[in-house]
PDB file of all heavy atoms in Angstrom:
ATOM      1  N   ASN A   1     -12.580 -98.319  22.883  1.00 90.00           N
ATOM      2  CA  ASN A   1     -11.942 -99.637  22.754  1.00 90.00           C
ATOM      3  C   ASN A   1     -12.777-100.777  23.330  1.00 90.00           C
ATOM      4  O   ASN A   1     -12.259-101.874  23.542  1.00 90.00           O
ATOM      5  CB  ASN A   1     -10.541 -99.635  23.388  1.00 90.00           C
ATOM      6  CG  ASN A   1      -9.606 -98.647  22.713  1.00 90.00           C
ATOM      7  OD1 ASN A   1      -9.515 -98.608  21.495  1.00 90.00           O
ATOM      8  ND2 ASN A   1      -8.930 -97.838  23.505  1.00 90.00           N
ATOM      9  N   LYS A   2     -14.058-100.517  23.589  1.00 89.00           N
ATOM     10  CA  LYS A   2     -14.967-101.561  24.062  1.00 89.00           C
ATOM     11  C   LYS A   2     -16.118-101.719  23.065  1.00 89.00           C
ATOM     12  O   LYS A   2     -16.633-100.734  22.555  1.00 89.00           O
ATOM     13  CB  LYS A   2     -15.534-101.215  25.440  1.00 89.00           C
ATOM     14  CG  LYS A   2     -14.492-101.137  26.540  1.00 89.00           C
ATOM     15  CD  LYS A   2     -15.139-100.800  27.869  1.00 89.00           C
ATOM     16  CE  LYS A   2     -14.100-100.685  28.980  1.00 89.00           C
ATOM     17  NZ  LYS A   2     -14.727-100.308  30.279  1.00 89.00           N
ATOM     18  N   ALA A   3     -16.503-102.948  22.810  1.00 91.00           N
ATOM     19  CA  ALA A   3     -17.607-103.200  21.897  1.00 91.00           C
ATOM     20  C   ALA A   3     -18.926-102.852  22.575  1.00 91.00           C
ATOM     21  O   ALA A   3     -19.177-103.255  23.716  1.00 91.00           O
ATOM     22  CB  ALA A   3     -17.618-104.662  21.457  1.00 91.00           C
ATOM     23  N   LEU A   4     -19.759-102.095  21.883  1.00 90.00           N
ATOM     24  CA  LEU A   4     -21.097-101.756  22.361  1.00 90.00           C
ATOM     25  C   LEU A   4     -22.115-102.388  21.420  1.00 90.00           C
ATOM     26  O   LEU A   4     -22.017-102.242  20.200  1.00 90.00           O
ATOM     27  CB  LEU A   4     -21.304-100.237  22.390  1.00 90.00           C
ATOM     28  CG  LEU A   4     -20.440 -99.449  23.372  1.00 90.00           C
ATOM     29  CD1 LEU A   4     -20.680 -97.957  23.206  1.00 90.00           C
ATOM     30  CD2 LEU A   4     -20.722 -99.870  24.801  1.00 90.00           C
ATOM     31  N   THR A   5     -23.068-103.096  21.985  1.00 90.00           N
ATOM     32  CA  THR A   5     -24.096-103.705  21.151  1.00 90.00           C
ATOM     33  C   THR A   5     -25.103-102.647  20.717  1.00 90.00           C
ATOM     34  O   THR A   5     -25.252-101.599  21.363  1.00 90.00           O
ATOM     35  CB  THR A   5     -24.834-104.825  21.897  1.00 90.00           C
ATOM     36  OG1 THR A   5     -25.616-104.250  22.961  1.00 90.00           O
ATOM     37  CG2 THR A   5     -23.853-105.839  22.473  1.00 90.00           C
ATOM     38  N   ARG A   6     -25.808-102.936  19.658  1.00 88.00           N
ATOM     39  CA  ARG A   6     -26.863-102.022  19.218  1.00 88.00           C
ATOM     40  C   ARG A   6     -27.934-101.873  20.295  1.00 88.00           C
ATOM     41  O   ARG A   6     -28.488-100.801  20.489  1.00 88.00           O
ATOM     42  CB  ARG A   6     -27.472-102.535  17.917  1.00 88.00           C
ATOM     43  CG  ARG A   6     -26.523-102.460  16.720  1.00 88.00           C
ATOM     44  CD  ARG A   6     -27.136-103.098  15.487  1.00 88.00           C
ATOM     45  NE  ARG A   6     -26.296-102.922  14.305  1.00 88.00           N
ATOM     46  CZ  ARG A   6     -25.283-103.721  13.988  1.00 88.00           C
ATOM     47  NH1 ARG A   6     -24.973-104.749  14.797  1.00 88.00           N
ATOM     48  NH2 ARG A   6     -24.576-103.512  12.897  1.00 88.00           N
ATOM     49  N   GLU A   7     -28.212-102.974  20.995  1.00 85.00           N
ATOM     50  CA  GLU A   7     -29.231-102.934  22.047  1.00 85.00           C
ATOM     51  C   GLU A   7     -28.791-102.036  23.201  1.00 85.00           C
ATOM     52  O   GLU A   7     -29.613-101.299  23.773  1.00 85.00           O
ATOM     53  CB  GLU A   7     -29.508-104.356  22.558  1.00 85.00           C
ATOM     54  CG  GLU A   7     -30.252-105.245  21.574  1.00 85.00           C
ATOM     55  CD  GLU A   7     -29.363-105.719  20.410  1.00 85.00           C
ATOM     56  OE1 GLU A   7     -28.113-105.673  20.554  1.00 85.00           O
ATOM     57  OE2 GLU A   7     -29.913-106.123  19.377  1.00 85.00           O
ATOM     58  N   GLN A   8     -27.509-102.064  23.541  1.00 84.00           N
ATOM     59  CA  GLN A   8     -27.001-101.184  24.601  1.00 84.00           C
ATOM     60  C   GLN A   8     -27.147 -99.717  24.196  1.00 84.00           C
ATOM     61  O   GLN A   8     -27.535 -98.877  25.009  1.00 84.00           O
ATOM     62  CB  GLN A   8     -25.529-101.484  24.880  1.00 84.00           C
ATOM     63  CG  GLN A   8     -25.281-102.744  25.679  1.00 84.00           C
ATOM     64  CD  GLN A   8     -23.804-103.021  25.851  1.00 84.00           C
ATOM     65  OE1 GLN A   8     -23.025-102.943  24.897  1.00 84.00           O
ATOM     66  NE2 GLN A   8     -23.388-103.351  27.064  1.00 84.00           N
ATOM     67  N   LEU A   9     -26.824 -99.423  22.956  1.00 86.00           N
ATOM     68  CA  LEU A   9     -26.934 -98.046  22.480  1.00 86.00           C
ATOM     69  C   LEU A   9     -28.377 -97.579  22.446  1.00 86.00           C
ATOM     70  O   LEU A   9     -28.695 -96.455  22.851  1.00 86.00           O
ATOM     71  CB  LEU A   9     -26.297 -97.927  21.088  1.00 86.00           C
ATOM     72  CG  LEU A   9     -24.777 -98.083  21.049  1.00 86.00           C
ATOM     73  CD1 LEU A   9     -24.293 -98.313  19.634  1.00 86.00           C
ATOM     74  CD2 LEU A   9     -24.095 -96.853  21.648  1.00 86.00           C
ATOM     75  N   LEU A  10     -29.271 -98.447  22.003  1.00 83.00           N
ATOM     76  CA  LEU A  10     -30.697 -98.093  21.977  1.00 83.00           C
ATOM     77  C   LEU A  10     -31.210 -97.806  23.381  1.00 83.00           C
ATOM     78  O   LEU A  10     -31.891 -96.804  23.615  1.00 83.00           O
ATOM     79  CB  LEU A  10     -31.511 -99.220  21.345  1.00 83.00           C
ATOM     80  CG  LEU A  10     -31.491 -99.335  19.822  1.00 83.00           C
ATOM     81  CD1 LEU A  10     -32.142-100.626  19.380  1.00 83.00           C
ATOM     82  CD2 LEU A  10     -32.188 -98.141  19.179  1.00 83.00           C
ATOM     83  N   ALA A  11     -30.879 -98.683  24.316  1.00 78.00           N
ATOM     84  CA  ALA A  11     -31.376 -98.531  25.684  1.00 78.00           C
ATOM     85  C   ALA A  11     -30.831 -97.264  26.332  1.00 78.00           C
ATOM     86  O   ALA A  11     -31.554 -96.561  27.043  1.00 78.00           O
ATOM     87  CB  ALA A  11     -31.013 -99.756  26.513  1.00 78.00           C
ATOM     88  N   ALA A  12     -29.557 -96.960  26.107  1.00 78.00           N
ATOM     89  CA  ALA A  12     -28.933 -95.804  26.743  1.00 78.00           C
ATOM     90  C   ALA A  12     -29.382 -94.482  26.126  1.00 78.00           C
ATOM     91  O   ALA A  12     -29.595 -93.499  26.829  1.00 78.00           O
ATOM     92  CB  ALA A  12     -27.413 -95.925  26.659  1.00 78.00           C
ATOM     93  N   LEU A  13     -29.547 -94.465  24.806  1.00 79.00           N
ATOM     94  CA  LEU A  13     -29.824 -93.206  24.120  1.00 79.00           C
ATOM     95  C   LEU A  13     -31.313 -92.914  23.965  1.00 79.00           C
ATOM     96  O   LEU A  13     -31.734 -91.764  24.050  1.00 79.00           O
ATOM     97  CB  LEU A  13     -29.159 -93.207  22.735  1.00 79.00           C
ATOM     98  CG  LEU A  13     -27.634 -93.328  22.748  1.00 79.00           C
ATOM     99  CD1 LEU A  13     -27.099 -93.490  21.334  1.00 79.00           C
ATOM    100  CD2 LEU A  13     -27.010 -92.105  23.408  1.00 79.00           C
ATOM    101  N   TRP A  14     -32.092 -93.962  23.737  1.00 74.00           N
ATOM    102  CA  TRP A  14     -33.532 -93.758  23.547  1.00 74.00           C
ATOM    103  C   TRP A  14     -34.335 -94.123  24.796  1.00 74.00           C
ATOM    104  O   TRP A  14     -35.502 -93.789  24.901  1.00 74.00           O
ATOM    105  CB  TRP A  14     -34.038 -94.549  22.343  1.00 74.00           C
ATOM    106  CG  TRP A  14     -33.732 -93.890  21.038  1.00 74.00           C
ATOM    107  CD1 TRP A  14     -34.537 -93.053  20.322  1.00 74.00           C
ATOM    108  CD2 TRP A  14     -32.513 -93.990  20.272  1.00 74.00           C
ATOM    109  NE1 TRP A  14     -33.893 -92.632  19.179  1.00 74.00           N
ATOM    110  CE2 TRP A  14     -32.655 -93.193  19.122  1.00 74.00           C
ATOM    111  CE3 TRP A  14     -31.315 -94.681  20.467  1.00 74.00           C
ATOM    112  CZ2 TRP A  14     -31.657 -93.071  18.167  1.00 74.00           C
ATOM    113  CZ3 TRP A  14     -30.316 -94.557  19.521  1.00 74.00           C
ATOM    114  CH2 TRP A  14     -30.484 -93.761  18.376  1.00 74.00           C
ATOM    115  N   GLY A  15     -33.708 -94.827  25.714  1.00 67.00           N
ATOM    116  CA  GLY A  15     -34.342 -95.122  26.977  1.00 67.00           C
ATOM    117  C   GLY A  15     -35.298 -96.290  26.980  1.00 67.00           C
ATOM    118  O   GLY A  15     -35.807 -96.688  28.002  1.00 67.00           O
ATOM    119  N   ILE A  16     -35.577 -96.862  25.809  1.00 55.00           N
ATOM    120  CA  ILE A  16     -36.471 -98.008  25.714  1.00 55.00           C
ATOM    121  C   ILE A  16     -35.950 -98.962  24.661  1.00 55.00           C
ATOM    122  O   ILE A  16     -35.090 -98.610  23.863  1.00 55.00           O
ATOM    123  CB  ILE A  16     -37.922 -97.592  25.350  1.00 55.00           C
ATOM    124  CG1 ILE A  16     -37.934 -96.821  24.015  1.00 55.00           C
ATOM    125  CG2 ILE A  16     -38.569 -96.776  26.439  1.00 55.00           C
ATOM    126  CD1 ILE A  16     -39.324 -96.472  23.531  1.00 55.00           C
ATOM    127  N   GLU A  17     -36.475-100.176  24.679  1.00 50.00           N
ATOM    128  CA  GLU A  17     -36.077-101.173  23.690  1.00 50.00           C
ATOM    129  C   GLU A  17     -36.881-100.974  22.401  1.00 50.00           C
ATOM    130  O   GLU A  17     -38.101-100.907  22.422  1.00 50.00           O
ATOM    131  CB  GLU A  17     -36.352-102.585  24.226  1.00 50.00           C
ATOM    132  CG  GLU A  17     -35.601-102.912  25.506  1.00 50.00           C
ATOM    133  CD  GLU A  17     -34.122-103.188  25.252  1.00 50.00           C
ATOM    134  OE1 GLU A  17     -33.764-103.375  24.082  1.00 50.00           O
ATOM    135  OE2 GLU A  17     -33.365-103.196  26.228  1.00 50.00           O
ATOM    136  N   PHE A  18     -36.188-100.853  21.282  1.00 50.00           N
ATOM    137  CA  PHE A  18     -36.846-100.768  19.985  1.00 50.00           C
ATOM    138  C   PHE A  18     -36.640-102.093  19.261  1.00 50.00           C
ATOM    139  O   PHE A  18     -35.660-102.303  18.561  1.00 50.00           O
ATOM    140  CB  PHE A  18     -36.238 -99.636  19.134  1.00 50.00           C
ATOM    141  CG  PHE A  18     -36.614 -98.260  19.585  1.00 50.00           C
ATOM    142  CD1 PHE A  18     -35.817 -97.173  19.259  1.00 50.00           C
ATOM    143  CD2 PHE A  18     -37.768 -98.043  20.320  1.00 50.00           C
ATOM    144  CE1 PHE A  18     -36.147 -95.899  19.661  1.00 50.00           C
ATOM    145  CE2 PHE A  18     -38.114 -96.763  20.723  1.00 50.00           C
ATOM    146  CZ  PHE A  18     -37.298 -95.698  20.390  1.00 50.00           C
ATOM    147  N   GLU A  19     -37.535-103.032  19.460  1.00 54.00           N
ATOM    148  CA  GLU A  19     -37.366-104.344  18.830  1.00 54.00           C
ATOM    149  C   GLU A  19     -37.412-104.207  17.312  1.00 54.00           C
ATOM    150  O   GLU A  19     -38.319-103.617  16.754  1.00 54.00           O
ATOM    151  CB  GLU A  19     -38.463-105.295  19.313  1.00 54.00           C
ATOM    152  CG  GLU A  19     -38.337-105.659  20.785  1.00 54.00           C
ATOM    153  CD  GLU A  19     -39.320-106.720  21.198  1.00 54.00           C
ATOM    154  OE1 GLU A  19     -39.983-107.271  20.297  1.00 54.00           O
ATOM    155  OE2 GLU A  19     -39.427-106.982  22.402  1.00 54.00           O
ATOM    156  N   GLY A  20     -36.403-104.760  16.685  1.00 50.00           N
ATOM    157  CA  GLY A  20     -36.378-104.726  15.230  1.00 50.00           C
ATOM    158  C   GLY A  20     -35.958-103.397  14.647  1.00 50.00           C
ATOM    159  O   GLY A  20     -36.011-103.203  13.442  1.00 50.00           O
ATOM    160  N   GLU A  21     -35.512-102.454  15.500  1.00 65.00           N
ATOM    161  CA  GLU A  21     -35.160-101.136  15.010  1.00 65.00           C
ATOM    162  C   GLU A  21     -33.678-100.827  15.203  1.00 65.00           C
ATOM    163  O   GLU A  21     -33.309 -99.689  15.462  1.00 65.00           O
ATOM    164  CB  GLU A  21     -36.012-100.066  15.719  1.00 65.00           C
ATOM    165  CG  GLU A  21     -37.473-100.068  15.313  1.00 65.00           C
ATOM    166  CD  GLU A  21     -37.662 -99.690  13.847  1.00 65.00           C
ATOM    167  OE1 GLU A  21     -36.814 -98.950  13.309  1.00 65.00           O
ATOM    168  OE2 GLU A  21     -38.652-100.146  13.248  1.00 65.00           O
ATOM    169  N   THR A  22     -32.829-101.847  15.119  1.00 71.00           N
ATOM    170  CA  THR A  22     -31.395-101.594  15.250  1.00 71.00           C
ATOM    171  C   THR A  22     -30.862-100.765  14.096  1.00 71.00           C
ATOM    172  O   THR A  22     -29.776-100.198  14.196  1.00 71.00           O
ATOM    173  CB  THR A  22     -30.617-102.922  15.334  1.00 71.00           C
ATOM    174  OG1 THR A  22     -30.928-103.724  14.191  1.00 71.00           O
ATOM    175  CG2 THR A  22     -30.967-103.674  16.610  1.00 71.00           C
ATOM    176  N   ARG A  23     -31.623-100.673  13.018  1.00 80.00           N
ATOM    177  CA  ARG A  23     -31.208 -99.808  11.908  1.00 80.00           C
ATOM    178  C   ARG A  23     -31.133 -98.350  12.333  1.00 80.00           C
ATOM    179  O   ARG A  23     -30.430 -97.547  11.713  1.00 80.00           O
ATOM    180  CB  ARG A  23     -32.171 -99.965  10.733  1.00 80.00           C
ATOM    181  CG  ARG A  23     -32.052-101.308  10.007  1.00 80.00           C
ATOM    182  CD  ARG A  23     -33.095-101.456   8.940  1.00 80.00           C
ATOM    183  NE  ARG A  23     -34.445-101.455   9.508  1.00 80.00           N
ATOM    184  CZ  ARG A  23     -35.563-101.509   8.797  1.00 80.00           C
ATOM    185  NH1 ARG A  23     -35.497-101.571   7.479  1.00 80.00           N
ATOM    186  NH2 ARG A  23     -36.732-101.510   9.387  1.00 80.00           N
ATOM    187  N   THR A  24     -31.881 -97.981  13.383  1.00 84.00           N
ATOM    188  CA  THR A  24     -31.803 -96.623  13.916  1.00 84.00           C
ATOM    189  C   THR A  24     -30.383 -96.316  14.358  1.00 84.00           C
ATOM    190  O   THR A  24     -29.845 -95.240  14.072  1.00 84.00           O
ATOM    191  CB  THR A  24     -32.765 -96.464  15.113  1.00 84.00           C
ATOM    192  OG1 THR A  24     -34.091 -96.765  14.696  1.00 84.00           O
ATOM    193  CG2 THR A  24     -32.711 -95.056  15.676  1.00 84.00           C
ATOM    194  N   VAL A  25     -29.759 -97.257  15.064  1.00 88.00           N
ATOM    195  CA  VAL A  25     -28.369 -97.089  15.498  1.00 88.00           C
ATOM    196  C   VAL A  25     -27.447 -97.030  14.293  1.00 88.00           C
ATOM    197  O   VAL A  25     -26.562 -96.180  14.205  1.00 88.00           O
ATOM    198  CB  VAL A  25     -27.951 -98.234  16.441  1.00 88.00           C
ATOM    199  CG1 VAL A  25     -26.457 -98.182  16.724  1.00 88.00           C
ATOM    200  CG2 VAL A  25     -28.738 -98.171  17.739  1.00 88.00           C
ATOM    201  N   ASP A  26     -27.632 -97.949  13.348  1.00 91.00           N
ATOM    202  CA  ASP A  26     -26.772 -97.988  12.162  1.00 91.00           C
ATOM    203  C   ASP A  26     -26.793 -96.655  11.414  1.00 91.00           C
ATOM    204  O   ASP A  26     -25.750 -96.173  10.949  1.00 91.00           O
ATOM    205  CB  ASP A  26     -27.217 -99.111  11.225  1.00 91.00           C
ATOM    206  CG  ASP A  26     -27.071-100.485  11.870  1.00 91.00           C
ATOM    207  OD1 ASP A  26     -26.237-100.623  12.779  1.00 91.00           O
ATOM    208  OD2 ASP A  26     -27.792-101.408  11.443  1.00 91.00           O
ATOM    209  N   ALA A  27     -27.974 -96.060  11.315  1.00 92.00           N
ATOM    210  CA  ALA A  27     -28.101 -94.789  10.596  1.00 92.00           C
ATOM    211  C   ALA A  27     -27.340 -93.679  11.317  1.00 92.00           C
ATOM    212  O   ALA A  27     -26.638 -92.874  10.684  1.00 92.00           O
ATOM    213  CB  ALA A  27     -29.572 -94.417  10.449  1.00 92.00           C
ATOM    214  N   HIS A  28     -27.460 -93.623  12.637  1.00 93.00           N
ATOM    215  CA  HIS A  28     -26.750 -92.592  13.400  1.00 93.00           C
ATOM    216  C   HIS A  28     -25.239 -92.793  13.324  1.00 93.00           C
ATOM    217  O   HIS A  28     -24.487 -91.820  13.147  1.00 93.00           O
ATOM    218  CB  HIS A  28     -27.217 -92.599  14.858  1.00 93.00           C
ATOM    219  CG  HIS A  28     -28.508 -91.874  15.082  1.00 93.00           C
ATOM    220  ND1 HIS A  28     -29.729 -92.403  14.741  1.00 93.00           N
ATOM    221  CD2 HIS A  28     -28.760 -90.635  15.604  1.00 93.00           C
ATOM    222  CE1 HIS A  28     -30.683 -91.539  15.051  1.00 93.00           C
ATOM    223  NE2 HIS A  28     -30.130 -90.464  15.573  1.00 93.00           N
ATOM    224  N   VAL A  29     -24.788 -94.030  13.450  1.00 95.00           N
ATOM    225  CA  VAL A  29     -23.358 -94.306  13.370  1.00 95.00           C
ATOM    226  C   VAL A  29     -22.828 -93.939  11.987  1.00 95.00           C
ATOM    227  O   VAL A  29     -21.734 -93.362  11.864  1.00 95.00           O
ATOM    228  CB  VAL A  29     -23.062 -95.781  13.691  1.00 95.00           C
ATOM    229  CG1 VAL A  29     -21.598 -96.115  13.408  1.00 95.00           C
ATOM    230  CG2 VAL A  29     -23.396 -96.084  15.154  1.00 95.00           C
ATOM    231  N   GLY A  30     -23.593 -94.240  10.969  1.00 95.00           N
ATOM    232  CA  GLY A  30     -23.171 -93.901   9.612  1.00 95.00           C
ATOM    233  C   GLY A  30     -22.967 -92.406   9.427  1.00 95.00           C
ATOM    234  O   GLY A  30     -21.989 -91.961   8.811  1.00 95.00           O
ATOM    235  N   ARG A  31     -23.883 -91.605   9.990  1.00 96.00           N
ATOM    236  CA  ARG A  31     -23.754 -90.149   9.868  1.00 96.00           C
ATOM    237  C   ARG A  31     -22.572 -89.626  10.679  1.00 96.00           C
ATOM    238  O   ARG A  31     -21.864 -88.705  10.233  1.00 96.00           O
ATOM    239  CB  ARG A  31     -25.061 -89.474  10.291  1.00 96.00           C
ATOM    240  CG  ARG A  31     -26.212 -89.685   9.305  1.00 96.00           C
ATOM    241  CD  ARG A  31     -27.364 -88.749   9.574  1.00 96.00           C
ATOM    242  NE  ARG A  31     -28.045 -89.041  10.824  1.00 96.00           N
ATOM    243  CZ  ARG A  31     -29.071 -89.868  10.937  1.00 96.00           C
ATOM    244  NH1 ARG A  31     -29.523 -90.507   9.857  1.00 96.00           N
ATOM    245  NH2 ARG A  31     -29.669 -90.074  12.096  1.00 96.00           N
ATOM    246  N   ILE A  32     -22.362 -90.203  11.859  1.00 96.00           N
ATOM    247  CA  ILE A  32     -21.216 -89.778  12.685  1.00 96.00           C
ATOM    248  C   ILE A  32     -19.903 -90.086  11.974  1.00 96.00           C
ATOM    249  O   ILE A  32     -18.989 -89.263  11.923  1.00 96.00           O
ATOM    250  CB  ILE A  32     -21.264 -90.479  14.051  1.00 96.00           C
ATOM    251  CG1 ILE A  32     -22.466 -89.985  14.863  1.00 96.00           C
ATOM    252  CG2 ILE A  32     -19.972 -90.241  14.838  1.00 96.00           C
ATOM    253  CD1 ILE A  32     -22.743 -90.813  16.103  1.00 96.00           C
ATOM    254  N   ARG A  33     -19.799 -91.276  11.398  1.00 96.00           N
ATOM    255  CA  ARG A  33     -18.580 -91.653  10.668  1.00 96.00           C
ATOM    256  C   ARG A  33     -18.303 -90.662   9.538  1.00 96.00           C
ATOM    257  O   ARG A  33     -17.158 -90.211   9.347  1.00 96.00           O
ATOM    258  CB  ARG A  33     -18.749 -93.047  10.079  1.00 96.00           C
ATOM    259  CG  ARG A  33     -18.548 -94.199  11.059  1.00 96.00           C
ATOM    260  CD  ARG A  33     -18.962 -95.494  10.406  1.00 96.00           C
ATOM    261  NE  ARG A  33     -18.435 -96.672  11.088  1.00 96.00           N
ATOM    262  CZ  ARG A  33     -18.842 -97.898  10.842  1.00 96.00           C
ATOM    263  NH1 ARG A  33     -19.809 -98.121   9.944  1.00 96.00           N
ATOM    264  NH2 ARG A  33     -18.316 -98.922  11.502  1.00 96.00           N
ATOM    265  N   LYS A  34     -19.341 -90.327   8.804  1.00 96.00           N
ATOM    266  CA  LYS A  34     -19.167 -89.441   7.648  1.00 96.00           C
ATOM    267  C   LYS A  34     -18.768 -88.038   8.080  1.00 96.00           C
ATOM    268  O   LYS A  34     -17.837 -87.442   7.516  1.00 96.00           O
ATOM    269  CB  LYS A  34     -20.464 -89.394   6.835  1.00 96.00           C
ATOM    270  CG  LYS A  34     -20.368 -88.559   5.569  1.00 96.00           C
ATOM    271  CD  LYS A  34     -21.651 -88.640   4.762  1.00 96.00           C
ATOM    272  CE  LYS A  34     -21.540 -87.819   3.476  1.00 96.00           C
ATOM    273  NZ  LYS A  34     -22.804 -87.889   2.671  1.00 96.00           N
ATOM    274  N   LYS A  35     -19.434 -87.498   9.098  1.00 96.00           N
ATOM    275  CA  LYS A  35     -19.166 -86.124   9.521  1.00 96.00           C
ATOM    276  C   LYS A  35     -17.782 -85.981  10.148  1.00 96.00           C
ATOM    277  O   LYS A  35     -17.109 -84.966   9.952  1.00 96.00           O
ATOM    278  CB  LYS A  35     -20.235 -85.664  10.522  1.00 96.00           C
ATOM    279  CG  LYS A  35     -21.612 -85.456   9.902  1.00 96.00           C
ATOM    280  CD  LYS A  35     -22.640 -84.998  10.942  1.00 96.00           C
ATOM    281  CE  LYS A  35     -24.003 -84.773  10.310  1.00 96.00           C
ATOM    282  NZ  LYS A  35     -25.025 -84.290  11.290  1.00 96.00           N
ATOM    283  N   LEU A  36     -17.346 -86.992  10.907  1.00 96.00           N
ATOM    284  CA  LEU A  36     -16.074 -86.906  11.619  1.00 96.00           C
ATOM    285  C   LEU A  36     -14.920 -87.563  10.863  1.00 96.00           C
ATOM    286  O   LEU A  36     -13.766 -87.445  11.270  1.00 96.00           O
ATOM    287  CB  LEU A  36     -16.184 -87.550  13.008  1.00 96.00           C
ATOM    288  CG  LEU A  36     -16.747 -86.683  14.129  1.00 96.00           C
ATOM    289  CD1 LEU A  36     -18.215 -86.333  13.890  1.00 96.00           C
ATOM    290  CD2 LEU A  36     -16.599 -87.374  15.477  1.00 96.00           C
ATOM    291  N   GLY A  37     -15.230 -88.254   9.772  1.00 95.00           N
ATOM    292  CA  GLY A  37     -14.183 -88.997   9.080  1.00 95.00           C
ATOM    293  C   GLY A  37     -13.704 -90.183   9.889  1.00 95.00           C
ATOM    294  O   GLY A  37     -12.520 -90.532   9.863  1.00 95.00           O
ATOM    295  N   PHE A  38     -14.634 -90.810  10.611  1.00 96.00           N
ATOM    296  CA  PHE A  38     -14.296 -91.907  11.519  1.00 96.00           C
ATOM    297  C   PHE A  38     -14.603 -93.284  10.923  1.00 96.00           C
ATOM    298  O   PHE A  38     -14.867 -94.237  11.655  1.00 96.00           O
ATOM    299  CB  PHE A  38     -15.064 -91.749  12.838  1.00 96.00           C
ATOM    300  CG  PHE A  38     -14.390 -90.845  13.842  1.00 96.00           C
ATOM    301  CD1 PHE A  38     -13.271 -90.094  13.501  1.00 96.00           C
ATOM    302  CD2 PHE A  38     -14.866 -90.749  15.139  1.00 96.00           C
ATOM    303  CE1 PHE A  38     -12.661 -89.264  14.425  1.00 96.00           C
ATOM    304  CE2 PHE A  38     -14.260 -89.927  16.078  1.00 96.00           C
ATOM    305  CZ  PHE A  38     -13.148 -89.179  15.719  1.00 96.00           C
ATOM    306  N   GLN A  39     -14.544 -93.418   9.602  1.00 93.00           N
ATOM    307  CA  GLN A  39     -14.854 -94.705   8.985  1.00 93.00           C
ATOM    308  C   GLN A  39     -13.962 -95.825   9.513  1.00 93.00           C
ATOM    309  O   GLN A  39     -14.413 -96.970   9.670  1.00 93.00           O
ATOM    310  CB  GLN A  39     -14.730 -94.600   7.453  1.00 93.00           C
ATOM    311  CG  GLN A  39     -15.850 -93.820   6.792  1.00 93.00           C
ATOM    312  CD  GLN A  39     -15.621 -92.318   6.801  1.00 93.00           C
ATOM    313  OE1 GLN A  39     -14.654 -91.831   7.388  1.00 93.00           O
ATOM    314  NE2 GLN A  39     -16.493 -91.563   6.148  1.00 93.00           N
ATOM    315  N   ASP A  40     -12.686 -95.494   9.794  1.00 93.00           N
ATOM    316  CA  ASP A  40     -11.758 -96.510  10.297  1.00 93.00           C
ATOM    317  C   ASP A  40     -11.554 -96.415  11.808  1.00 93.00           C
ATOM    318  O   ASP A  40     -10.740 -97.152  12.361  1.00 93.00           O
ATOM    319  CB  ASP A  40     -10.399 -96.364   9.591  1.00 93.00           C
ATOM    320  CG  ASP A  40     -10.492 -96.650   8.107  1.00 93.00           C
ATOM    321  OD1 ASP A  40     -11.298 -97.518   7.728  1.00 93.00           O
ATOM    322  OD2 ASP A  40      -9.759 -96.004   7.335  1.00 93.00           O
TER     323      ASP A  40
END
């Protein structure tokens, strides 16, 4: 129930800043939504 920025997710999961690579987060979230049925 808290908003997480793409930058927060990148820093926490990859440990470094990926400038211009927020699509990495989008791709992972997309796969999680599909596998778990969490689109909504």
Side-chain angles (χ1 to χ4, degrees):
N1 299 312
K2 296 180 181 178
L4 295 176
T5 68
R6 291 175 175 85
E7 289 74 19
Q8 284 177 314
L9 291 165
L10 282 170
L13 298 173
W14 281 266
I16 58 175
E17 300 285 346
F18 287 157
E19 292 187 8
E21 289 295 332
T22 56
R23 289 175 297 177
T24 302
V25 171
D26 297 335
H28 279 76
V29 172
R31 289 194 292 270
I32 293 169
R33 281 171 162 168
K34 183 176 181 180
K35 290 180 179 181
L36 276 66
F38 275 8
Q39 287 84 355
D40 295 326

